[in-house]
Structures are given as structure tokens and as C-alpha cells.
Amino acid sequence: MDKKKQLSIEKMADLVRDECKVTDYGFNNIFEAAGKIGYRVIRYPIGSDSFLGFALIKDTERIIFTNSSSILAREIFTIAHEIGHHRLHLSELGLTVIKDDDFHETNDYEVEANYFAACLLMPRDKVEKFIRLELEDKEANKWNGLDIARIQTEFSVSYDMALIRLEKLGLINSSLSNGLKIEKAEKTTSRLLNAINGNVDLCKPAEVKNVPPDYLQWVISNYNEKLIPFTSLEKALNYLGLKAEDVADIPQEEIEEEYSLDDLIGRME
Ligand SMILES: [Zn+2]
């Protein structure tokens, strides 16, 4: 990624923070904030070994799905990354879906979405301000795991992401970063967070099931239009704690097809 691209992504991330009216160092609740700026956010625990999330344009809607079986800090990174795909890569007339099994930087889009997420969650100016005002300008070579845990809590990121970002911003060098990583391994992040009254929830999966109310209508209409098989309808309703027979007038066709989440929202290809 060249410098020009980097700066334009930084600008874009700043703009999104403004739209979300983020006044603290980090987002208070990025899932709600994304909803307020027009994204339809679906969170569902689909298993820790399943994919992380996707960004999708469907008709007039911009949808973000995040797997809430990931630890919360990772799920927060996921939504930031998917907002990045929406802002940078998806358009009504072009590419309409990107699904993320992982965040390996296998192509330019993934590199850019990761960079966007880092800038959105930990913008340079806010990180520098935090270090100056909250860590009282403590020199980086005197930082310990507790300082990183404070940064992690304030910016709602994982311990490792905090270190990666601090290193990328040139605020710590790699040997310092490695030392702090070892400290984490020895103490575990939860204990570090406990020690500072930090947000221990960041280390656990939220397992949140947040499905918008009209999602049900949408799934049923997809089924009625024969866009999804009965098994997918069942599975989708099951997510909401409903059974197919709860929903009136649905003939039980037996279509055996391997279930995939793509089916829930209609064919995306
Ligand atoms: Zn991606």
C-alpha cells in the first residue's frame, strides 16, 4: 500500500469516527454506532472455528455480519474491518460481498481493510493523546503489561492488536513489543485487565444474538421466492428460537442441501 492510499484510508476512518460521534479515545459500542450510521448489523455465535464475518450489499441495504463466538476484542476488530470493506471496496454497481474466513492479508483489499480497522479503532492522534495524558508520558521502555492492558481497555482491542498498532505507529520497537508479549503470556490478559479494573469482557466471546426484527420477514420472503431451501429457512428460524410451523402457510418441501450462512440472506453470488 503506498503512502497516498494509506493517508486516504486514514482520512476515511477519521470521517467514520466523526459520523459515529466518537468523542472518547475508543468506541463506546461500535456495533450500535455502525447501526446508527446506516449499517444493518447482524451478530450471531456461529462457532469459534467458523468464519469471522462478512460485508454485503443486498438490494438497498448494507449489511455487516460478525461471528460473536470470537472473543469480543476480535469481534470488534471484525466489524471495523467490515466497515472498511463497505467504505473502500463494495458498491451497488460492482462488488457486493466480501466474506472473511480470517484476516490474513492475502490481497490488497484485506491489507486495506485491516489498515482501516486499525485507524478506526486506534487513530494515531488518540493513541498519542492517551499516552501523554493517561500514561503521563511514561517512556515506552518503562511500559509494562498493565499499561498495555489500559490501552487495550480504552480502545477496545485485543492485547496483541494494541502491541501491533503501537509498533506500527513507531511508539514501541519490536524488542519492546516482544517483551510485553512475553509478559502477557506469563500473566494472561484477563489477570492484567482485572488488575486495572479493565474490561475483562474483551477476552471472552460475547455470544450475542442480534438479528434485526425484519430479518424474519426477509428470510420468509426469500424462502417463498424459492431463493433458499427449506432446510435454510428452518435453520434461520432456529436462530431466532422459532420453528417453521410457527410461521403460517409454509409447505414443508424436503430439499436436502448443505446449509450455509449465505443461504440465509439469499444467493449472494
Ligand atoms: Zn476482509
Side-chain angles (χ1 to χ4, degrees):
M1 187 170 31
D2 60 26
K3 181 93 182 194
K4 198 168 163 223
K5 186 82 202 174
Q6 229 171 351
L7 292 176
S8 83
I9 291 174
E10 254 174 76
K11 227 180 207 173
M12 185 88 75
D14 251 2
L15 196 71
V16 172
R17 282 177 68 99
D18 287 347
E19 284 174 36
C20 293
K21 300 188 172 63
V22 183
T23 50
D24 295 336
Y25 294 105
F27 280 81
N28 186 23
N29 183 332
I30 194 172
F31 302 98
E32 268 176 34
K36 283 193 186 131
I37 60 167
Y39 295 106
R40 181 149 298 244
V41 178
I42 302 176
R43 302 173 70 192
Y44 207 84
I46 54 171
S48 54
D49 51 354
S50 193
F51 66 91
L52 299 173
F54 60 73
L56 164 76
I57 299 179
K58 172 100 175 121
D59 304 324
T60 56
E61 294 218 275
R62 285 189 172 247
I63 297 155
I64 291 173
F65 178 92
T66 60
N67 179 354
S68 61
S69 302
S70 325
I71 64 162
L72 180 60
R74 194 166 169 86
E75 195 193 357
I76 289 171
F77 187 85
T78 301
I79 189 168
H81 177 105
E82 302 305 340
I83 294 172
H85 279 317
H86 269 295
R87 290 290 161 123
L88 300 165
H89 309 128
L90 298 191
S91 77
E92 276 75 6
L93 302 172
L95 185 64
T96 54
V97 62
I98 296 176
K99 181 177 166 215
D100 288 295
D101 291 316
D102 51 54
F103 294 134
H104 296 158
E105 302 193 326
T106 43
N107 60 47
D108 286 353
Y109 283 3
E110 294 316 308
V111 175
E112 290 168 10
N114 280 345
Y115 187 66
F116 176 91
C119 295
L120 186 67
L121 297 173
M122 292 182 73
R124 176 185 290 276
D125 56 330
K126 296 286 178 184
V127 175
E128 286 174 349
K129 187 175 170 190
F130 184 84
I131 292 166
R132 187 168 175 76
L133 301 184
E134 313 300 331
L135 300 186
E136 294 173 338
D137 233 358
K138 188 174 176 181
E139 281 173 47
N141 56 18
K142 298 204 176 81
W143 290 354
N144 56 35
L146 296 179
D147 295 316
I148 304 303
R150 286 185 65 189
I151 293 175
Q152 160 180 23
T153 287
E154 203 57 44
F155 291 93
S156 299
V157 298
S158 68
Y159 188 97
D160 291 341
M161 189 208 146
L163 287 181
I164 291 169
R165 183 67 175 149
L166 291 167
E167 197 179 329
K168 285 247 167 80
L169 290 173
L171 297 167
I172 54 175
N173 59 32
S174 61
S175 76
L176 211 53
S177 171
N178 284 334
L180 289 162
K181 233 178 259 173
I182 291 164
E183 187 170 345
K184 173 207 162 193
E186 284 166 354
K187 293 187 181 162
T188 81
T189 310
S190 295
R191 275 169 53 206
L192 287 172
L193 288 171
N194 268 321
I196 57 149
N197 257 337
N199 185 1
V200 184
D201 289 345
L202 288 170
C203 304
K204 298 183 286 205
E207 303 274 343
V208 167
K209 296 177 184 175
N210 177 14
V211 182
D214 48 349
Y215 170 79
L216 179 62
Q217 286 316 110
W218 188 19
V219 170
I220 294 170
S221 81
N222 275 348
Y223 172 74
N224 287 338
E225 286 165 31
K226 300 198 186 313
L227 293 171
I228 60 171
F230 181 70
T231 48
S232 295
L233 173 74
E234 260 188 325
K235 193 97 179 181
L237 292 174
N238 190 31
Y239 275 3
L240 306 179
L242 294 169
K243 294 208 175 336
E245 50 265 35
D246 296 340
V247 187
D249 299 332
I250 293 184
Q252 302 225 352
E253 291 169 36
E254 288 302 324
I255 306 165
E256 282 306 318
E257 191 173 305
E258 200 187 331
Y259 161 74
S260 84
L261 197 96
D262 301 350
D263 289 321
L264 293 183
I265 39 177
R267 301 281 181 219
M268 299 194 295
E269 293 78 26

